[in-house]
């Protein structure tokens, strides 16, 4: 048997350079064939580098499964347009009861929730509206609490929010429910398949940075938020919003196995939007100067955020960009976040 150099170690009968590999933990040495390994920074080709970040596997009996199994309280949080409606609907079915919508952003309801029943819900899913909402959870860590934050790249999230607002206007929903007022403001003309809105009025509404547009990623992931993660070290996982179907499977396995055959639970999906929305310039020929909203967003999306100052309150965006690089490179786009992760970003 060959003798390993002093700067190498023997693993499974072969000498390895410590600097060139990441040695798996003892329990990871017993992986089943073809099982993916949790890694530090996971690259698109499946390789990994030694760091304190950790890609998590969403398959059954893997890393994320273990976190879910061991948590007595699970908080699932998100900004607008990041899989939240689907996760809230799933949670309602799984827990067989409903708490107040977006309860994690409504502090005045928390004591009522606590005393309402001896058995509180083990899973709560909620949109977060403000930095303070995120900070309250991060600063209340427990070894039995797991926080899962679903993430969506901000430009993609804003585009989805703009499309949802256009549908709300055309269908006179929510803050646009006053049909006469909304029709006058946006010069709404519609039939069963198409809805035409005045471009400038619509842009003014986007610029107000309210509702779905304003409930953004950068309102939650701020310099103060990253600092709080470093100081409090909660059990925190970031998960790309397109992976919520897999997340539902893991949650159902431990909390509502009778629901497994009905998954995934989906709500408020883009394919459910019935009307094709077009924008036109007031005072111009409607037929020649109307453009499909999808085409409009493709052409103007990159300019929209800076011209309308949609990120005017953002901070520490570099850390978010670095986090996204690691998150999107993970095979299951799921990343465990630690204080050391923040240091690296």
């Amino acid at each position: 048997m060959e003798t390993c150099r002093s700067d190498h170690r023997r693993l499974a009968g072969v000498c390895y350079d410590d600097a060139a590999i990441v040695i798996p933990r003892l329990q990871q040495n017993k992986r089943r064939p073809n099982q993916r390994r949790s890694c530090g920074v996971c690259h698109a080709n499946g390789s990994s580098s030694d760091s304190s970040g950790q890609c998590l596997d969403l398959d059954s009996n893997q890393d994320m499964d273990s976190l879910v199994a061991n948590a007595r309280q699970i908080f699932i949080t998100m900004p607008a347009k990041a899989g939240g409606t689907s996760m809230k609907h799933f949670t309602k079915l799984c827990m067989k009861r409903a708490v107040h919508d977006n309860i994690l952003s409504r502090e005045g309801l928390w004591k009522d929730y606590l005393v309402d029943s001896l058995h509180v819900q083990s899973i709560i899913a909620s949109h977060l509206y403000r930095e303070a909402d995120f900070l309250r959870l991060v600063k209340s860590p427990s070894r039995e609490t797991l926080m899962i934050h679903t993430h969506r790249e901000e430009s993609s999230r804003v585009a989805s929010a703009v499309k949802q607002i256009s549908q709300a206007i055309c269908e006179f929903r929510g803050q646009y429910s006053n049909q006469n007022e909304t029709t006058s403001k946006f010069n709404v003309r519609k039939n069963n398949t198409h809805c035409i809105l005045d471009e400038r009025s619509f842009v003014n509404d986007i610029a107000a940075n309210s509702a779905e547009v304003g409930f953004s990623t950068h309102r939650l992931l701020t310099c103060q938020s990253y600092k709080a993660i470093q100081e409090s070290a909660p059990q925190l996982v970031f998960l790309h919003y397109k992976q919520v179907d897999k997340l539902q499977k893991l949650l159902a396995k431990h909390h509502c196995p009778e629901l497994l055959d009905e998954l995934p639970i989906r709500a408020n999906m883009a394919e459910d939007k019935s009307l094709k929305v077009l924008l036109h310039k007031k005072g111009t020929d409607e037929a020649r100067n109307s453009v499909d909203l999808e085409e409009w967003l493709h052409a103007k999306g990159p300019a929209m955020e800076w011209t309308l100052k949609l990120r005017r309150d953002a901070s520490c965006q570099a850390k978010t960009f670095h986090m996204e690089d690691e998150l999107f490179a993970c095979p299951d786009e799921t990343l465990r976040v630690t204080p050391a992760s923040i240091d690296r970003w």
Side-chain angles (χ1 to χ4, degrees), residues 49-199:
S49 57
D50 190 9
S51 70
S52 34
Q54 184 184 25
C55 291
L56 297 176
D57 192 323
L58 291 175
D59 288 341
S60 184
N61 301 319
Q62 300 302 310
D63 316 285
M64 188 67 175
D65 192 354
S66 178
L67 287 177
V68 169
N70 292 324
R72 294 184 60 196
Q73 178 71 72
I74 299 174
F75 296 116
I76 304 167
T77 62
M78 68 290 294
K81 309 308 300 176
T85 304
S86 294
M87 286 308 305
K88 289 190 295 184
H89 190 42
F90 162 81
T91 302
K92 179 181 177 180
L93 294 174
C94 185
M95 296 288 97
K96 300 179 179 60
R97 58 176 293 207
V99 296
H100 196 288
D101 193 29
N102 299 322
I103 189 171
L104 297 180
S105 291
R106 303 178 186 276
E107 186 175 358
L109 299 172
W110 294 351
K111 288 182 181 178
D112 290 339
Y113 166 74
L114 184 64
V115 301
D116 181 54
S117 170
L118 174 62
H119 302 288
V120 296
Q121 289 192 193
S122 54
I123 305 173
I124 297 177
S126 172
H127 286 101
L128 300 182
Y129 299 143
R130 297 166 293 272
E131 174 192 66
D133 301 332
F134 189 84
L135 290 176
R136 287 190 197 102
L137 291 175
V138 168
K139 290 182 176 180
S140 305
S142 148
R143 296 185 187 276
E144 297 180 314
T145 298
L146 174 63
M147 182 176 175
I148 304 170
H149 186 73
T150 67
H151 179 78
R152 183 172 187 173
E153 189 276 325
E154 182 62 11
S155 295
S156 168
R157 195 204 65 78
V158 167
S160 180
V162 167
K163 286 185 272 189
Q164 177 153 328
I165 289 173
S166 74
Q167 293 287 328
I169 294 171
C170 289
E171 296 171 8
F172 306 114
R173 290 187 282 106
Q175 68 186 78
Y176 308 104
S177 59
N178 186 317
Q179 188 167 338
N180 291 332
E181 182 180 296
T182 299
T183 299
S184 174
K185 178 179 179 180
F186 296 98
N187 196 20
V188 179
R189 277 144 303 156
K190 57 179 286 191
N191 56 27
N192 291 332
T193 58
H194 290 71
C195 176
I196 302 175
L197 306 175
D198 173 60
E199 180 186 35

Side-chain angles (χ1 to χ4, degrees), residues 30 121 200 247 289 329:
K30 299 179 180 179
Q121 289 192 193
R200 183 168 290 277
L247 175 60
N289 289 284

Side-chain angles (χ1 to χ4, degrees), residues 41-42 55 149-153 237-241 243 320-337 345:
V41 179
C42 304
C55 291
H149 186 73
T150 67
H151 179 78
R152 183 172 187 173
E153 189 276 325
V237 171
F238 281 3
L239 176 140
H240 190 256
Y241 81 105
Q243 302 296 332
T320 300
F321 292 148
H322 285 301
M323 177 275 290
E324 288 175 338
D325 289 341
E326 295 190 11
L327 175 67
F328 300 153
C330 289
D332 279 344
E333 295 178 304
T334 306
L335 183 72
R336 186 163 189 175
V337 179
W345 300 336

Side-chain angles (χ1 to χ4, degrees), residues 167-318:
Q167 293 287 328
I169 294 171
C170 289
E171 296 171 8
F172 306 114
R173 290 187 282 106
Q175 68 186 78
Y176 308 104
S177 59
N178 186 317
Q179 188 167 338
N180 291 332
E181 182 180 296
T182 299
T183 299
S184 174
K185 178 179 179 180
F186 296 98
N187 196 20
V188 179
R189 277 144 303 156
K190 57 179 286 191
N191 56 27
N192 291 332
T193 58
H194 290 71
C195 176
I196 302 175
L197 306 175
D198 173 60
E199 180 186 35
R200 183 168 290 277
S201 299
F202 186 62
V203 165
N204 288 341
D205 228 53
I206 298 170
N209 207 17
S210 59
E212 280 79 6
V213 170
F215 300 145
S216 60
T217 294
H218 55 256
R219 272 196 189 181
L220 306 179
L221 302 183
T222 64
C223 290
Q224 288 301 312
S225 299
Y226 287 121
K227 181 180 178 182
I229 295 170
Q230 286 179 302
E231 293 177 347
S232 300
Q235 285 202 100
L236 174 62
V237 171
F238 281 3
L239 176 140
H240 190 256
Y241 81 105
K242 288 191 174 181
Q243 302 296 332
V244 296
D245 289 357
K246 290 185 177 180
L247 175 60
Q248 288 181 11
K249 273 185 149 181
L250 288 184
L251 294 170
K253 173 184 173 182
H254 297 285
H255 295 271
C256 47
E258 71 281 358
L259 208 58
L260 283 169
D261 290 339
E262 300 178 36
L263 300 180
I265 305 298
R266 294 174 178 168
N268 198 26
M269 305 297 290
E271 54 265 30
D272 297 334
K273 314 306 180 187
S274 57
L275 288 171
K276 180 180 283 294
V277 178
L278 300 103
L279 302 181
H280 79 99
K281 297 183 185 298
K282 187 178 290 185
T284 62
D285 181 84
E286 182 178 303
R288 288 188 300 172
N289 289 284
S290 294
V291 59
D292 186 291
L293 179 59
E294 293 277 0
E295 183 181 346
W296 188 90
L297 283 168
H298 179 74
K300 301 191 178 188
M304 182 174 62
E305 289 185 70
W306 68 266
T307 55
L308 302 184
K309 304 177 184 176
L310 298 184
R311 300 199 188 202
R312 53 185 174 268
D313 299 321
S315 63
C316 285
Q317 291 186 88

Side-chain angles (χ1 to χ4, degrees), residues 21-38:
I21 64 169
V22 177
I23 303 297
R25 295 191 301 265
L26 178 61
Q27 60 267 35
Q28 292 175 317
N29 289 338
K30 299 179 180 179
R31 298 192 303 274
R32 66 177 185 270
N34 301 319
Q35 177 182 329
R36 288 177 294 184
R37 181 187 63 198
S38 294

